[in-house]
Amino acid sequence: MAPLSRFALSLLPLVAAVNAATDPCATIGGKKWASPKDVRACLSSFKLDPAIKNNVLDVVSKTLAFHASVNYQIWAPEPYSLSVHEDLFKDIARINKTSYSSEYDFHIDLSRTFKRLNDGHCVWINYCFVTAFVNYLPIPLTLLTDKFGLQSVHIVPEAFDVAKAEFADGLDAWQDALPGDLKGRLDLLSGAKVLLINGLPPFAAVDANAAIAGSYQALGTRQIGFFSSYARAASSFSYSMGQFAQQSLPLDDSVSLLIQRVNQTKLEVITLPYRSRIGSSTKAFTDSASYRANNCRAVSGTNGVDIHDTTVAPSTADKFKQIPAPVAPAGKKHLMNVVLDTAPFTDITLPGGLQPTAPALNGSFGIGTFYLQKDGKTGVLALGSFSGANYDTMQSSLLQGLQSLKALGATQLIIDVTNNGGGYICVAHWLHRIIIGPKSTTVPEAGLDTKARSGPLAQQVVQKLIDEKLDPNQELLYNPLNWNNAQNVQFKADENWLVPPVKKIINGHPDAFSQRLGQECQPDGFTTTPPDVGFFEPSKIVIVSNGRCASSCSLFSITMAKEEGVRTVVVGGSNLVRQEYCGIVGGQSTDFATIDTEIKSTGLKSSPLAPPDLIVNGVQGITWRLGFGITRREEPEEWQEHYAAIQLPLTMELVNNPVKIWDAVTARVFK
Ligand SMILES: *[C@@H]1O[C@H](CO)[C@@H](O)[C@H](O)[C@H]1NC(C)=O
Ligand SMILES: *[C@@H]1O[C@H](CO)[C@@H](O)[C@H](O)[C@H]1NC(C)=O
Ligand SMILES: *[C@@H]1O[C@H](CO)[C@@H](O)[C@H](O)[C@H]1NC(C)=O
C-alpha cells in the first residue's frame, strides 16, 4: 500500500533527531528493572509525528463505524448514566486540534478517552507504551470487612509470599527503602491496615484509579480492580496484583502509606518506590532508535489481510486478551466475545497455601477445573475463561466434569468465574444448555439475540462478497451464511442481511443497525451432543465472582440469572455500592485488524470510508454485535442492571482463598 511507505518514511527524521549522548532510552536499554521516572523519560522523549497522529485518529474514527455502541455510549441509561457518557467523536475532534509535547501524552489522552466508555471491548492500546514496562509495588491491597461491617483497606496477608516468589531479583530495592526497624523486613507489612494513601483516605486512591481504569461500566467493579484477586488459569490458580500494585504505564514513582501493622497499636508511615520491570513481550533495545524500531511499528497482525492472498498468514492480536486464547484450528472460526485488558497476562501464581488441594475431578481441563468440597455435596467449577482450551475439548470436558460431580453425589453447584474475561460465545451457550437441560430458555437459543451496525461500508462489504462470491469457505464475518434471522432461519447466500437497515435515533444521533439476529450456536456450534436432562436445579446453583466477569462470561451469567433464577454472589467490594455480578456484555467483539481483513478481502480498501493501514503497534477493540436485553427486550442488555443477589464481604480468613470462599458461599446460600 502506498500510504504505508509514505508514513514509514516520515518516521526517519524523528529517530535521527534524538541525540545519542542524551538518549533517555539508552538509560534503560538492556535493563530488566528501572525506575518509573527513567521509563517515562524514554517513553515521553518521542515527539508526536503528525503522520502518526493523523494515521491513528483516521484508523480509530473509521473503525468506530463498525462499533455497535458508539451512540449509546454518549449517554447510557440508568444505572449507568453517571459512569458512561462519552462522545468519542467530539473527543477525537478535540484531540485532533490539541498539540502534545510527546507521542506518549497523545497516547494517554486517546487511550483514556476510550477508557471513559468503561467498555473493555472498545479500547485503544498502543504496545509502544502500554506494558512496555510494568510498574510494580510488592504490597497488593485488599478491602476487608470486620464483624461490625466496617470496611478497611489492608495489605494482603500473602503479600510477602507473592513478592518473594515473583520479584526475587528486585526485592532489595524495596527492602532497603523501608524506614528504621522495618528496613529489610518487608515481611512485617503483610496484613497491615492502611489508613491513608498519600495522605488521603484510601478510597480517594481507589476512586481516582476507578476513574481511569476503564473496562467495566459499574463503579463497584472498577473499584474492585484496584485490589488483588485470583483466577483459575491453565495449570493452577493465578494471582492478580490489582491496579494499585501493578500499573500498565509508569504512572507513579512512589507511594506513602500510613499503616498499622498486625498486632501493633502504633501507626507508621512508609514510603515505597514503584519499580518498573520490562514487559514480557517488549523487544530488546539499546537506545531510542532500536526501541522504536522494535516496539512501536506495525507488526504482523496489526493490520488485516486479504484472505485470497495466500502469501500472508493471518495473525490475531491475542496479546491483551485476559487469558491467552489458543489459535482456532485451521478452517474453523469460532466466534469470540472477549475483553481486551490492558493489564498484561501474568504468570504469577496464587501462593501455595491458598491453592485448592482437593484433586481435580474428571473433566477438568486446566482453565476449567472441577472439585468436590469436603461436605461431599457441593460441586465446584472454577472457570477462568471461556476460551482457555481447545473449543471441542472444552465442550466435552465441561459435560464430563458435570457428570463426574453427579456421579460423586454432588447435589449443588458453585461456578466460580472470578476474573473470567470471556471467550467462545457458543461455549457460554453450551454450559448454560447442559447445566439447565432443554427448555424454552436453552433451545434453540441459550444466549441473546443480537444486532450489528449497518453503516454504508459494512453494507458494501456484504454486497461485494455476495456479488463476487468472494467467500466460498465462510471465513468472513459479514458472510450472510454465517447468520440466522430472528426466527433462527439461516440467511441465503445472496441475502444482504444489513439492508434495509433498522433506523434508530440514539441520544439524538441517527443510527442504523442490522435486523435482529437469532442464534448461531445450535446445532453446529455444539460439537458434543447435549444430554436430554439438566444437572442441577437453578435453586441449587450459584455463580460466584469478584464482579469481573465479562463478555461471554456475562452472556452465561446473565442468562442463568435472569432466565433461570440462578443466584449470583459478588465477593468483596465496597458495601456502599450495589455490586454487579458481571459487565461488558457485548454480544460479539472484534478488532480493527479483523474488520480490515473484511474490507481488504472484498476489495474495498480504497473506499474513502475504509480505515488506512495502521502504522503503529496498536490494537483497537470494538463491539461488533450487541446483545438484546432479557428484561427490556428491544434495548441492549449492555446497560441493563446486573445486581448481585448477594454481596459476600472479604475477611482476613477469606481473602484470595478460593476454597474458604466456596465454603462461605455454601454456608450462606445453600442453607
Ligand atoms: C483532523 O484534522 C485534519 C485537519 O483539519 C483533518 O483533515 C482530519 O480529517 C481530522 N481527522 C479526524 C480523524 O477527524
Ligand atoms: C497476632 O496475634 C495473634 C494472637 O496472639 C497471633 O496468633 C498472630 O500470630 C499474631 N500475628 C502476627 C503477625 O504477629
Ligand atoms: C474418572 O475417570 C476414571 C478413569 O476413566 C474412572 O475410573 C472413574 O470412575 C471416573 N470417576 C468419576 C467420578 O467419573
Side-chain angles (χ1 to χ4, degrees), residues 405-434:
L405 284 177
K406 282 298 257 202
L408 292 168
T411 56
Q412 52 205 28
L413 177 67
I414 292 175
I415 305 167
D416 187 333
V417 288
T418 300
N419 288 318
N420 182 320
Y424 300 124
I425 294 164
C426 292
V427 174
H429 290 207
W430 167 257
L431 186 58
H432 177 180
R433 159 67 184 82
I434 59 172

Side-chain angles (χ1 to χ4, degrees), residues 323-597:
I323 303 279
V327 179
K332 213 169 179 188
K333 256 198 192 155
H334 301 298
L335 310 174
M336 302 286 284
N337 195 30
V338 70
V339 68
L340 276 166
D341 198 341
T342 47
F345 172 73
T346 62
D347 54 3
I348 306 181
T349 53
L350 187 65
L354 298 170
Q355 294 277 349
T357 51
L361 303 179
N362 290 355
S364 296
F365 54 99
I367 214 143
T369 298
F370 290 88
Y371 302 99
L372 187 66
Q373 288 285 81
K374 284 216 178 78
D375 62 14
K377 53 184 187 186
T378 310
V380 175
L381 162 59
L383 187 63
S385 167
F386 277 89
S387 63
N390 175 289
Y391 178 84
D392 301 355
T393 312
M394 244 185 129
Q395 293 191 18
S396 57
S397 300
L398 286 167
L399 177 59
Q400 197 196 355
L402 291 166
Q403 284 163 342
S404 310
L405 284 177
K406 282 298 257 202
L408 292 168
T411 56
Q412 52 205 28
L413 177 67
I414 292 175
I415 305 167
D416 187 333
V417 288
T418 300
N419 288 318
N420 182 320
Y424 300 124
I425 294 164
C426 292
V427 174
H429 290 207
W430 167 257
L431 186 58
H432 177 180
R433 159 67 184 82
I434 59 172
I435 290 175
I436 297 298
K439 59 191 279 267
S440 62
T441 51
T442 58
V443 181
E445 175 172 22
L448 304 176
D449 284 356
T450 56
K451 63 179 179 183
R453 203 112 180 268
S454 177
L457 184 56
Q459 292 174 11
Q460 287 170 42
V461 166
V462 179
Q463 202 55 50
K464 276 274 267 187
L465 75 85
I466 290 172
D467 292 346
E468 298 175 24
K469 299 190 171 46
L470 291 170
D471 186 28
N473 301 325
Q474 277 176 252
E475 290 170 76
L476 295 177
L477 278 181
Y478 281 102
N479 192 326
L481 290 174
N482 288 331
W483 310 107
N484 294 340
N485 67 19
Q487 287 71 48
N488 290 312
V489 176
Q490 187 186 26
F491 292 115
K492 293 190 198 71
D494 62 352
E495 195 173 354
N496 190 330
W497 56 283
L498 294 182
V499 293
V502 178
K503 294 194 173 157
K504 274 189 81 109
I505 306 282
I506 302 165
N507 285 316
H509 294 248
D511 210 335
F513 296 91
S514 71
Q515 59 186 284
R516 192 178 182 107
L517 305 178
Q519 66 88 31
E520 61 285 335
C521 292
Q522 301 184 48
D524 295 344
F526 287 0
T527 51
T528 297
T529 307
D532 291 336
V533 287
F535 284 92
F536 296 94
E537 289 301 316
S539 63
K540 293 290 185 183
I541 305 169
V542 60
I543 298 175
V544 177
S545 79
N546 58 349
R548 299 178 76 84
C549 152
S551 263
S552 285
C553 185
S554 298
L555 296 178
F556 170 73
S557 305
I558 290 167
T559 50
M560 290 287 279
K562 293 192 177 181
E563 293 185 323
E564 315 303 344
V566 164
R567 283 169 294 174
T568 55
V569 176
V570 167
V571 180
S574 165
N575 56 16
L576 301 175
V577 176
R578 236 175 129 183
Q579 299 295 336
E580 308 222 0
Y581 60 85
C582 71
I584 337 172
V585 185
Q588 182 175 349
S589 61
T590 191
D591 53 22
F592 157 71
T594 306
I595 294 297
D596 193 39
T597 289

